[in-house]
Amino acid sequence: MTLINDPSSFRDDAGQIFNFKNRIFRSIKNNYIENYNFLENQDIYQILINKNLLINSWEVKDQNLISQKFEEVNKFLEHEKLENWTYPYEWTFSQLKNAAIFHLNFQLFLLEKNISLKDASAYNIQFKNNKPIFIDILSIDKYSDGEYWYAHKQFCENFLNPLVLCAKKGVNFNNWFRGNLEGIHTKEISKLLGFFDFLSPTLFFHIFLLNRFEEKS
């Protein structure tokens, strides 16, 4: 059987997505297994799946899969295969807005359990029955008390900035997002906004000040 790697997961050092026997699998590498076991023992994954927040996933022991001789792989998961697959640059304004709100609510729910998201890629969300659902199980990580959200900048670029571009300037984000798969950089959106736009506390703190910090760094 031919194993097909998903090119979108090449940057994840904790595991990788691939298609095998027309099913969707994810490898979990040794460097993430401690975190995975911790969350599994806390029943976090099952809680999220039951609440329809996380894509249904389960451990598998397929001998044909194991025989592929993956390096540094500890476990294999199989994911529910969604009927439709879309990308953020294909979404409508409402879909991106719903995904953004879902992502923030998801993060807040995790924080209540001393867990956090280590990144904020819009590509970690798909739509099932027209509702957002999180698909990247390896983005869920243990939270250390007092730790700031490392994914804040990525959330702004993937969600906030494209929404602001459309809402404040009437420019659709789709083509811009398609041209830069990381979203819209804060420096770029900041140049398009005027003085009165930054009277909004949200835009002042998350775009104007963030851009100033980035310029200084």
Side-chain angles (χ1 to χ4, degrees):
M1 302 295 290
T2 303
L3 183 150
I4 304 175
N5 290 323
D6 187 330
S8 65
S9 67
F10 74 97
R11 291 185 299 182
D12 194 344
D13 61 355
Q16 189 169 9
I17 290 287
F18 51 91
N19 187 301
F20 188 67
K21 299 180 180 178
N22 199 31
R23 294 150 63 191
I24 305 301
F25 293 91
R26 184 190 298 269
S27 63
I28 300 179
K29 293 186 177 180
N30 295 334
N31 61 350
Y32 186 81
I33 195 62
E34 180 180 350
N35 188 79
Y36 173 84
N37 288 337
F38 170 80
L39 298 174
E40 178 69 13
N41 292 335
Q42 300 294 319
D43 290 328
I44 296 300
Y45 297 130
Q46 196 58 52
I47 290 172
L48 296 174
I49 290 171
N50 291 343
K51 288 183 173 293
N52 293 318
L53 298 175
L54 180 67
I55 192 74
N56 193 17
S57 309
W58 55 93
E59 290 187 26
V60 294
K61 295 182 179 179
D62 188 307
Q63 291 301 318
N64 291 326
L65 191 61
I66 295 173
S67 67
Q68 297 292 319
K69 297 181 180 180
F70 287 86
E71 294 184 4
E72 301 181 353
V73 170
N74 195 294
K75 291 180 183 294
F76 294 98
L77 300 179
E78 182 172 359
H79 293 308
E80 172 189 358
K81 190 172 183 179
L82 299 176
E83 294 183 6
N84 298 308
W85 193 271
T86 60
Y87 297 98
Y89 52 78
E90 299 174 321
W91 296 346
T92 64
F93 178 90
S94 295
Q95 285 178 307
L96 184 62
K97 179 182 176 181
N98 290 340
I101 294 173
F102 170 86
H103 199 289
L104 291 177
N105 288 335
F106 190 58
Q107 168 72 352
L108 291 174
F109 181 83
L110 293 177
L111 286 174
E112 292 177 354
K113 303 181 181 301
N114 290 319
I115 304 169
S116 180
L117 293 172
K118 66 181 182 181
D119 56 40
S121 172
Y123 296 89
N124 288 342
I125 295 177
Q126 284 295 315
F127 286 87
K128 179 182 177 181
N129 298 325
N130 295 321
K131 294 182 178 180
I133 191 168
F134 202 78
I135 63 170
D136 189 359
I137 196 170
L138 301 187
S139 288
I140 304 172
D141 212 345
K142 290 186 289 186
Y143 172 75
S144 299
D145 190 33
E147 184 179 68
Y148 68 87
W149 192 30
Y150 295 104
H152 172 254
K153 178 177 181 290
Q154 188 178 28
F155 177 85
C156 291
E157 293 178 343
N158 276 235
F159 293 101
L160 178 64
N161 295 349
L163 291 172
V164 169
L165 177 68
C166 189
K168 292 294 183 180
K169 298 304 173 184
V171 178
N172 290 331
F173 60 83
N174 304 82
N175 288 336
W176 200 327
F177 214 144
R178 189 190 301 272
N180 182 8
L181 299 183
E182 299 297 332
I184 298 178
H185 295 309
T186 303
K187 180 179 180 180
E188 295 172 337
I189 191 68
S190 183
K191 291 179 179 179
L192 298 177
L193 299 178
F195 173 81
F196 291 104
D197 293 318
F198 288 124
L199 292 179
S200 163
T202 298
L203 303 189
F204 179 77
F205 284 107
H206 298 288
I207 294 182
F208 179 79
L209 285 186
L210 181 58
N211 181 50
R212 286 299 180 89
F213 288 143
E214 288 182 358
E215 287 179 343
K216 289 183 179 181
S217 62

